[in-house]
Amino acid sequence: MKLTARTQSNDWADDEFGEADFGDARLTQRLAVLARKISQAPHCSFPQALDAATLKAAYRFFDNPKVDVKGVLEPHIGQTLERIRQLPVVLVPQDTSEFNWTHLPATEGLGLGTGGNRHGFMIHSQLAVSPEGLPLGVLGMKTWVRAAEESGKRTKRKKLPIADKESVKWLEGHEQLVALEAHCKDTHIVGISDREGDIYDVSMAQRVEDVDWLVRAAWNRRVEHEEQYLWQTVPGTPVPGETDLLVPASANTRKPARTARLALRCTKVRLQAPQHRIAEKLPSIEVFAIHALEIGADDGIEPLEWLLLSSVPTHTCEQALERLAWYARRWTIESWHRVLKSGCRVEARQFGNYDRFVRATALFGVISWRILYATLVGRLDGDLSCETLLQPLEWRALYCRANGTAKPPDTPPTLAQVVLWIAQLGGYLNRKHDHPPGPTAMWRGFLALHECTEMYRIFRQNE
């Protein structure tokens, strides 16, 4: 996979935010400045990361009603579409996460969450990902709060039309993909959802659009087959092939790593409408089911099993393996949420009210994407020039710091090499059996790189 990263300028913040339209050019400029400065120390509080003038400007920016999620994300989405257009296939997982500010009870405008969270808000996002797992950018972000009066009314909500439920987020996410797909006609876009997205109304909408979809089945739906139900029908179909899957060791359960043997099945099925909605005369839906079941598992081990539904034709073992690999890329959006919460420490921020938090979260969402992008791009295409990620001043400072020299080379090092150096600045040891560096080491490394670059600039300013 080849991507051309810097298409406009030599500064990522200008690339991702330079076209923002708030009706005021000063706000656009301020957004790029904030993105640039905050990304240099994403885990620090604003007073730690910003000088006095920029700190004052930041609080004014996030308090400005002209600033909204759409305005912050729109230029970044434009750049994301440019990256999407470079690839033949792009996956778009969508997922929901919850932010908890129970420790800040004075924050205004927040609502109920799950469990013990009585003071927070929800976010439902879409992230474009290459089939290899490289995050290409954020495509959507919806936020909302749950009203206190909705607590305990699950049965009542079940009877509401989807437009009046939180689950409409999945339908809105699909509709947004359909709108964006018009700008990426030569790219095959596949929306991906976990079991929460297995909603009949969403499947009905998806079947008539050009954007394909893939979801993990949550319900044993009725099907037009003699077995009558999905989970009884699919496992009874022929096995076109098998595959081995390495299951990593689990620290929580103290189970060692093992290799699981999976039997693969794929078949076309026609789903019937839910029985409690027969009066609506909803149409049946033709889908492709992909089933993976572990065989020969040792005693005491629960066999692995997945059942996926997709609009993408799936007839062979190779195609079934590809669909499973696509679904596995859901972890990328979960990793992005972890970076947003842990790397950028959004839940530790003190903005005083919901609106400021939402505006800031949109900006931190793009900063989190960049951290995750930097973490993964070196693994997938390490031979690229490091200037796809760093400015010339940054990579020269990094080279001198990593190699203990005052003279950088004329030719930029590779992307894989600078990613390793950044991770080592962040505490990565690079031992023989270590896993590749993760987001935590990378954002710590970016913080150290910023300091190195400033010192390099100061000492070289008279040359």
Side-chain angles (χ1 to χ4, degrees):
M1 179 193 62
K2 296 292 183 182
L3 285 174
T4 305
R6 293 266 170 85
T7 57
Q8 292 182 6
S9 70
N10 212 25
D11 182 285
W12 82 272
D14 284 340
D15 286 352
E16 302 302 322
F17 297 112
E19 298 298 321
D21 183 10
F22 300 110
D24 186 335
R26 293 171 298 178
L27 290 176
T28 299
Q29 183 180 14
R30 189 166 296 165
L31 174 61
V33 169
L34 290 175
R36 190 179 303 113
K37 289 185 175 293
I38 293 172
S39 68
Q40 293 166 353
H43 67 299
C44 293
S45 67
F46 279 3
Q48 291 174 311
L50 306 174
D51 57 64
T54 309
L55 177 63
K56 186 176 181 180
Y59 285 124
R60 285 181 175 175
F61 180 83
F62 293 124
D63 202 35
N64 194 320
K66 292 182 180 179
V67 178
D68 58 10
V69 170
K70 180 181 179 182
V72 173
L73 289 183
E74 203 165 57
H76 169 70
I77 291 175
Q79 286 295 297
T80 301
L81 292 175
E82 288 290 339
R83 291 183 280 268
I84 288 175
R85 282 190 282 264
Q86 298 179 45
L87 302 177
V89 178
V90 168
L91 313 174
V92 183
Q94 52 178 316
D95 194 28
T96 305
S97 189
E98 179 180 353
F99 291 85
N100 187 345
W101 280 278
T102 304
H103 59 291
L104 296 175
T107 305
E108 300 174 351
L110 301 183
L112 298 177
T114 57
N117 178 7
R118 310 295 295 178
H119 204 58
F121 70 83
M122 310 297 293
I123 177 175
H124 186 78
S125 308
Q126 295 170 289
L127 189 73
V129 180
S130 76
E132 295 81 8
L134 183 66
L136 306 175
V138 183
L139 285 176
M141 184 182 293
K142 175 184 178 179
T143 63
W144 70 97
V145 297
R146 287 173 173 162
E149 57 267 22
E150 292 299 314
S151 180
K153 296 184 179 180
R154 183 174 181 180
T155 302
K156 180 179 178 181
R157 288 196 299 269
K158 188 175 180 180
K159 299 178 181 179
L160 295 174
I162 189 171
D164 297 330
K165 299 179 183 179
E166 280 190 8
S167 52
V168 74
K169 62 192 177 185
W170 300 101
L171 185 58
E172 292 171 344
H174 175 73
E175 291 171 348
Q176 185 170 6
L177 279 189
V178 171
L180 294 175
E181 193 271 341
H183 303 282
C184 308
K185 287 294 187 181
D186 295 327
T187 301
H188 181 198
I189 296 177
V190 182
I192 299 178
S193 306
D194 64 5
R195 284 177 284 197
E196 189 186 352
D198 182 13
I199 301 169
Y200 202 80
D201 299 78
V202 178
S203 299
M204 283 195 303
Q206 290 170 331
R207 70 190 176 94
V208 296
E209 305 289 359
D210 293 332
V211 176
D212 279 310
W213 53 274
L214 176 69
V215 63
R216 187 171 180 183
W219 307 102
N220 192 16
R221 299 190 184 279
R222 294 188 308 133
V223 298
E224 293 182 2
H225 189 274
E226 62 182 11
E227 295 290 346
Q228 297 187 351
Y229 290 93
L230 180 66
W231 285 92
Q232 284 69 45
T233 300
V234 178
T237 59
V239 178
E242 298 178 356
T243 187
D244 288 328
L245 175 69
L246 178 61
V247 181
S250 172
N252 294 332
T253 61
R254 297 184 179 180
K255 292 182 179 179
R258 64 188 179 89
T259 299
R261 187 68 176 173
L262 302 179
L264 303 178
R265 294 177 172 87
C266 52
T267 186
K268 185 189 298 184
V269 295
R270 183 169 287 277
L271 306 179
Q272 294 182 336
Q275 284 186 308
H276 69 278
R277 300 180 64 183
I278 289 179
E280 298 179 51
K281 297 182 180 180
L282 302 177
S284 60
I285 305 171
E286 186 175 86
V287 303
F288 293 88
I290 302 96
H291 185 248
L293 176 64
E294 183 177 0
I295 55 178
D298 294 337
D299 292 340
I301 295 179
E302 184 178 356
L304 301 175
E305 184 174 16
W306 294 277
L307 178 57
L308 308 180
L309 303 176
S310 181
S311 61
V312 183
T314 307
H315 303 286
T316 67
C317 179
E318 290 74 18
Q319 291 172 336
L321 283 170
E322 183 179 54
R323 308 299 174 261
L324 289 166
W326 285 355
Y327 186 78
R329 295 309 176 194
R330 272 201 69 259
W331 72 266
T332 309
I333 194 169
E334 294 177 357
S335 296
W336 174 70
H337 278 144
R338 285 196 296 271
V339 175
L340 185 59
K341 290 184 177 183
S342 299
C344 294
R345 302 186 67 208
V346 170
E347 290 176 318
R349 309 285 169 175
Q350 299 185 40
F351 285 103
N353 68 45
Y354 167 76
D355 290 331
R356 296 179 195 137
F357 267 119
V358 168
R359 294 164 188 148
T361 300
L363 173 56
F364 277 113
V366 180
I367 292 173
S368 300
W369 158 76
R370 184 175 182 255
I371 293 172
L372 193 59
Y373 176 87
T375 303
L376 299 177
V377 68
R379 302 182 196 175
L380 300 175
D381 207 344
D383 293 333
L384 285 172
S385 166
C386 68
E387 290 191 340
T388 60
L389 180 65
L390 301 180
Q391 299 177 48
L393 189 68
E394 289 176 319
W395 73 254
R396 291 189 175 101
L398 178 61
Y399 181 93
C400 292
R401 170 65 175 80
N403 293 278
T405 180
K407 185 175 177 57
D410 296 328
T411 303
T414 65
L415 185 58
Q417 184 61 74
V418 301
V419 166
L420 176 59
W421 287 337
I422 293 171
Q424 288 175 320
L425 287 179
Y428 179 66
L429 298 178
N430 193 31
R431 295 168 297 194
K432 183 176 180 181
H433 297 292
D434 283 346
H435 292 294
T440 300
M442 290 301 296
W443 62 252
R444 287 175 178 167
F446 271 116
L447 175 60
L449 173 60
H450 168 62
E451 299 299 327
C452 293
T453 304
E454 283 299 296
M455 292 301 298
Y456 183 83
R457 181 186 59 79
I458 290 171
F459 286 118
R460 294 297 179 99
Q461 61 186 352
N462 293 325
E463 293 184 6

